[in-house]
Amino acid sequence: MNLPLSSPAKISPLPHASQALISSAPKLPPSLSFRPPSNPQPLDGRLITTHLDAGRLRDAISALDSMVLRGSHPDLITYSLLLKSCIRSRQFHLGRHVHRRLEESGMEPDSVFLNSLISLYSKSTEWKEAEEVFWSMGNDKRDLVSWSAMISCYANNNKEREAIDLFIDMLEEGFAPNEYCYTAVIRACSTPKTASIGDSVFGVLTKQGYFDSDLCVGCALMDMFSKGSGDLYSALKVFVKMIHRNVVAYTQIITRCTELGNPEEALDLFVDMLLEGHVPDNFTASAVLSACSDMGLLPLGLQLHSWVIRLGLCSDVCVGCCLVDMYQKCGVGSSLSDSRKVFDRMPSHNVMSWTAIITGYAQYDEDNEAIDLFLEMIQGPIRPNQFTLASVLKACGSVNTGMQVYGIAVKLGMSGDNCVGNSLISMLTRTGRAEDARKAFESLFAKSLVSYNTMLNAYSKSSNSEEALSLFHQIDGTRINPDAYTFASLLSGAASVGAIHKGELIHSRIVKSGLELNECICNALISMYSKCGNVDAALRVFEHMGDKKNVISWTSMIMGFAKHGFAEKALDTFGTMLELGLWPNEVTFVAVLSACSHAGLVSQGKRYFECMRKDYGVTPKMEHYACLVDLLGRSGSLLEAFEVISTMPFEPDALVWRTFLGACRVHGNVELGEWEEAAGMRKMMRMKSITKEAGYSWIEVKGTVFKFHVGDTSHPLAPEIFNELNGLMVVIKKMGYVPNTDFFLHDVEEEEEKEQYLFHHSEKLAVAFGLISTSRPKPIRVFKNLRVCGDCHSAIKHISKVTEREIVVRDANRFHHFRDGKCSCNDYW
């Protein structure tokens, strides 16, 4: 990242109060001095100081109590020393005890003691007590330290507006801020609501010379710009102009770069830090590992792990958590195993480390292991937080398990947390309880954008695009602004049902929102247009992305070409991706193998299957083996396909067997299709009551999706649809179409009746409805939940020629583009 750091910073006008007063730069009042007591300390008083000098605070308190019980008290200096020791050791309850003892003595506290009291109550989050002490001091005892301590108290206790108001009051009283006061008020300006005032404070301290000379002020300014305004540029500019930089300043700017989405700059700064001779600490290690995780750089992550070991930082629980996260995000193949090794070797665990490892297993679909780890966690002393519970709910594959986890959330008082609620919604949707998910959504106390996005995603996954759009309109009625994930979920919903009209409307809204170049949205648009049958529109979005394309963008485009039968374009795109240095993932290889399968490119497909593990470290999964079986089966290499199934490193699933049996049927190899393993699979499916899904087709016309089943007469235009079909049957039969009753599955004897049933298949009904409901030159796009049957494929080819219309059919496997009596699949599907 190259920043023009010499350009001037933009400073907004000062508030009227500070503007009027800063011009007269008042001087600090002389510091108060204290005379030593004229009489020497009593023996008990000297004992208290002896204990304090040796670090024995509790013994010092005991000596104080013994002294008070005998009717005497130490002097004010000893009380101040006791109070400061309580603050340093964070024994705030003991500090309050010292305060009470002083009140019992009847002595008048001085500024030193009262300022320490403000600090005590500030750090113990009792800001009201600190406020009471401050205002009780009066002008004679209230000095610059008092003002700075109280401003700091407000800033530390989320009272930013009160801190800023008090800072202005201080200026009006004639006090000139020092570095401690500036650091406190800048902290108060480090929120989005107060960041604009921070610009004015920045102008003031720049005039007084504190900007680049004080380390604490510089660190506070970096946070003000990065956390308050999200302005990483200005934060980096402050860092570069700081005269003195230490490990704390470096760690802070590295952390902010990572948080604001610039891990590359974070890693560059880390290198600069090492070159300047600073020794990183555990906080630096955590920040750098997080940057490495965000970039997915496993080789660098391994080097950092080695460096952490050499520095002896592995025992730190935060560093351990970051290592667990790094292996999960950067690793391939054995990444979870490496994460688990790091987790198991950690000397101690906290809620962060437990949550990190549980989240990793949940994200990699290792649900049982995630739940087992959660059970192990709750049996120990560590209590789960809302993020732990949310991750476990994501791993729950059944409503029963999910509700048990939610019951634990209720017992822990976290059921009302939005993070937990959102995961509950997701779990209910995933397990088919959409109505309960909506109830859980409606019961959320304060719906956030994440809540809406979770529900939108739930509707999208259940192909309920109508409800998704309805919920999106609800968001418009709130002050919540949709983000990239919102639009991505809507596009996913449109893609799932092939609702291209809805997808185009969403695309229009995206452009109006200024998010048309967002990486996540562009990837979703490519997928939506591809799945809705318009691969040309998908390609336009892809090319419009320019150099913002990532591996997901390339994979989506490759998959789009593959599903539409453009194998050559898919493989050319894959080649270009590799030339640009992008590393393919497992989904990329599914797309590449699908392209080879649909085009019958057997040798190329086998070569890609071999190189995915050898050259790219991608371990083949079930989907890759299914593609290889499909590739071999379509080409007629049935024995080789069966050998692949027999030597797979895991039990073949229903998809693999269905693919193989389909190939046996196409090639007429009944004997091979009746193998013992295949028969066993059928028996298992019967025992588990797994039945073949009923076929149906749908089509979107004028923004409405219409669904058809075989012989469906429920549509209002059913008479017109059947008339259109009957007329088409007469014409295409004259052109040579012969109904193939081999695809007829019902128990009907008459051949003519079989033909009639065949011609009323759902995809034919949808095509007929499209013909009478749309006009040229708009293509007719039909979608089917199963593979298109051979008879329908033949009939639609003839219909495309007769009607001179382009007909696009998306079935469970691929797209078929019918033009002028031909199909893009070349009758190979």
Side-chain angles (χ1 to χ4, degrees), residues 10 106 139 234 237-238 302 315 384 410 447 542 559 677 687 791 799 802-803:
K10 294 182 179 179
N139 291 333
S234 295
K237 190 172 180 179
V238 168
L302 294 170
S315 60
V410 172
K447 298 179 182 69
F542 178 76
M559 185 69 81
E677 286 84 353
M687 289 175 62
D791 180 74
I799 291 172
V802 169
T803 60

Side-chain angles (χ1 to χ4, degrees), residues 448-729:
S448 63
L449 179 60
V450 175
S451 311
Y452 278 101
N453 285 347
T454 303
M455 198 65 224
L456 281 172
N457 190 48
Y459 282 135
S460 298
K461 287 184 176 178
S462 61
S463 301
N464 197 336
S465 60
E466 293 291 340
E467 285 292 342
L469 283 172
S470 175
L471 189 62
F472 177 68
H473 294 318
Q474 281 189 31
I475 299 178
D476 280 345
T478 68
R479 294 183 178 181
I480 297 173
N481 292 319
D483 64 359
Y485 190 84
T486 312
F487 289 114
S489 293
L490 287 168
L491 290 169
S492 175
S496 66
V497 295
I500 193 167
H501 178 72
K502 290 185 175 69
E504 289 168 342
L505 290 175
I506 298 164
H507 192 174
S508 175
R509 178 63 186 273
I510 288 167
V511 172
K512 290 179 182 177
S513 300
L515 294 170
E516 68 272 19
L517 288 178
N518 178 275
E519 191 177 88
C520 173
I521 288 178
C522 287
N523 293 340
L525 281 168
I526 294 169
S527 179
M528 183 275 293
Y529 280 120
S530 295
K531 290 180 178 178
C532 288
N534 193 342
V535 73
D536 292 332
L539 182 59
R540 285 195 293 272
V541 173
F542 178 76
E543 291 175 341
H544 187 60
M545 290 180 73
D547 59 358
K548 290 190 175 183
K549 294 187 283 284
N550 61 9
V551 66
I552 299 174
S553 319
W554 287 91
T555 298
S556 297
M557 199 65 245
I558 294 167
M559 185 69 81
F561 282 137
K563 290 292 184 183
H564 284 267
F566 305 127
E568 188 174 337
K569 288 183 178 180
L571 298 180
D572 286 346
T573 304
F574 179 60
T576 304
M577 171 186 166
L578 296 180
E579 289 173 6
L580 292 173
L582 276 84
W583 201 260
N585 59 24
E586 59 190 40
V587 183
T588 314
F589 278 104
V590 170
V592 170
L593 292 171
S594 295
C596 294
S597 177
H598 291 314
L601 304 175
V602 179
S603 59
Q604 285 178 266
K606 290 166 72 173
R607 189 168 68 250
Y608 284 126
F609 186 86
E610 290 299 321
C611 80
M612 61 185 285
R613 187 204 301 269
K614 183 174 64 177
D615 298 338
Y616 299 99
V618 177
T619 303
K621 294 188 175 179
M622 192 73 75
E623 296 90 336
H624 303 102
Y625 280 99
C627 288
L628 183 60
V629 169
D630 188 50
L631 174 72
L632 295 170
R634 287 171 185 268
S635 66
S637 304
L638 298 177
L639 286 173
E640 189 177 355
F642 184 75
E643 185 179 347
V644 168
I645 296 174
S646 303
T647 57
M648 284 168 57
F650 28 67
E651 286 295 318
D653 64 1
L655 173 63
V656 172
W657 281 118
R658 188 166 62 243
T659 301
F660 177 69
L661 293 172
C664 290
R665 178 184 59 79
V666 169
H667 292 283
N669 196 327
V670 179
E671 182 182 351
L672 192 57
E674 292 295 334
W675 275 83
E676 182 180 347
E677 286 84 353
M681 174 59 66
R682 292 193 185 94
K683 183 178 179 181
M684 181 272 291
M685 292 175 71
R686 285 195 298 270
M687 289 175 62
K688 293 188 175 182
S689 300
I690 299 175
T691 57
K692 184 178 179 181
E693 184 182 4
Y696 59 88
S697 302
W698 66 95
I699 182 172
E700 183 195 34
V701 175
K702 297 178 181 178
T704 303
V705 175
F706 298 90
K707 190 174 180 180
F708 296 90
H709 291 86
V710 62
D712 199 337
T713 59
S714 61
H715 195 281
L717 296 179
E720 290 90 335
I721 293 170
F722 282 96
N723 283 339
E724 178 74 10
L725 268 182
N726 291 333
L728 286 169
M729 180 182 284

Side-chain angles (χ1 to χ4, degrees), residues 200-221:
S200 300
V201 176
F202 180 53
V204 175
L205 67 90
T206 300
K207 289 180 181 178
Q208 295 199 348
Y210 286 110
F211 164 43
D212 54 2
S213 62
D214 187 82
L215 183 65
C216 292
V217 171
C219 288
L221 282 171

Side-chain angles (χ1 to χ4, degrees), residues 173-187:
E173 288 291 326
F175 288 93
N178 61 11
E179 60 271 27
Y180 304 108
C181 190
Y182 275 126
T183 301
V185 75
I186 291 168
R187 277 205 312 275

Side-chain angles (χ1 to χ4, degrees), residues 222-405:
M222 286 192 292
D223 264 3
M224 184 188 79
F225 286 119
S226 58
K227 294 170 74 174
S229 307
D231 184 1
L232 183 60
Y233 168 79
S234 295
L236 284 164
K237 190 172 180 179
V238 168
F239 178 77
V240 168
K241 291 200 171 185
M242 288 169 63
I243 297 173
H244 304 290
R245 294 191 288 262
N246 62 3
V247 65
V248 175
Y250 263 107
T251 299
Q252 183 175 328
I253 193 64
I254 289 170
T255 301
R256 299 296 171 254
C257 285
T258 303
E259 290 173 347
L260 291 176
N262 198 337
E264 299 95 338
E265 185 71 24
L267 294 175
D268 288 344
L269 285 163
F270 174 63
V271 173
D272 292 343
M273 175 185 175
L274 296 178
L275 292 174
E276 285 189 15
H278 298 291
V279 179
D281 59 14
N282 54 323
F283 299 107
T284 319
S286 298
V288 176
L289 283 167
S290 294
C292 179
S293 298
D294 290 346
M295 295 184 69
L297 300 175
L298 181 61
L300 177 60
L302 294 170
Q303 292 181 51
L304 289 172
H305 192 174
S306 175
W307 165 75
V308 162
I309 293 170
R310 289 199 305 272
L311 288 179
L313 299 175
C314 274
S315 60
D316 182 83
V317 70
C318 290
V319 173
C321 288
C322 291
L323 283 169
V324 168
D325 186 59
M326 184 274 293
Y327 279 111
Q328 288 172 5
K329 290 181 178 177
C330 301
V332 291
S334 61
S335 57
L336 267 182
S337 174
D338 293 334
S339 282
R340 185 60 178 269
K341 287 176 184 176
V342 172
F343 177 81
D344 290 339
R345 290 171 184 172
M346 291 173 66
S348 62
H349 292 292
N350 63 5
V351 67
M352 289 171 57
S353 59
W354 279 107
T355 302
I357 192 67
I358 289 170
T359 301
Y361 278 104
Q363 288 176 342
Y364 276 80
D365 296 325
E366 296 284 348
D367 298 340
N368 292 335
E369 189 63 31
I371 292 170
D372 288 345
L373 279 164
F374 175 68
L375 293 174
E376 183 182 343
M377 174 189 180
I378 60 177
Q379 289 169 4
I382 305 297
R383 167 179 159 160
N385 62 17
Q386 66 270 34
F387 304 110
T388 322
L389 293 164
S391 292
V392 178
L393 280 169
K394 289 175 185 174
C396 295
S398 69
V399 175
N400 183 45
T401 306
M403 295 314 294
Q404 288 184 58
V405 173

Side-chain angles (χ1 to χ4, degrees), residues 385-391 393 405-406 408-410 413-427 440 444:
N385 62 17
Q386 66 270 34
F387 304 110
T388 322
L389 293 164
S391 292
L393 280 169
V405 173
Y406 186 66
I408 294 173
V410 172
M414 298 181 193
S415 59
D417 182 84
N418 261 23
C419 186
V420 175
N422 295 336
S423 290
L424 177 66
I425 294 167
S426 181
M427 182 275 294
L444 288 175

Side-chain angles (χ1 to χ4, degrees), residues 81-111:
L81 291 173
L82 274 166
L83 188 58
K84 288 178 179 178
S85 294
C86 294
I87 295 169
R88 281 195 298 270
S89 62
R90 303 193 69 82
Q91 300 286 322
F92 302 130
H93 65 291
L94 295 179
R96 289 190 289 273
H97 180 74
V98 171
H99 185 195
R100 286 193 296 272
R101 288 301 192 197
L102 179 67
E103 288 178 331
E104 293 169 4
S105 74
M107 281 188 286
E108 182 72 21
D110 58 14
S111 295

Side-chain angles (χ1 to χ4, degrees), residues 127-139:
W127 64 270
K128 279 192 172 295
E129 285 76 5
E131 189 179 62
E132 186 177 331
V133 171
F134 176 79
W135 291 115
S136 70
M137 293 174 72
N139 291 333

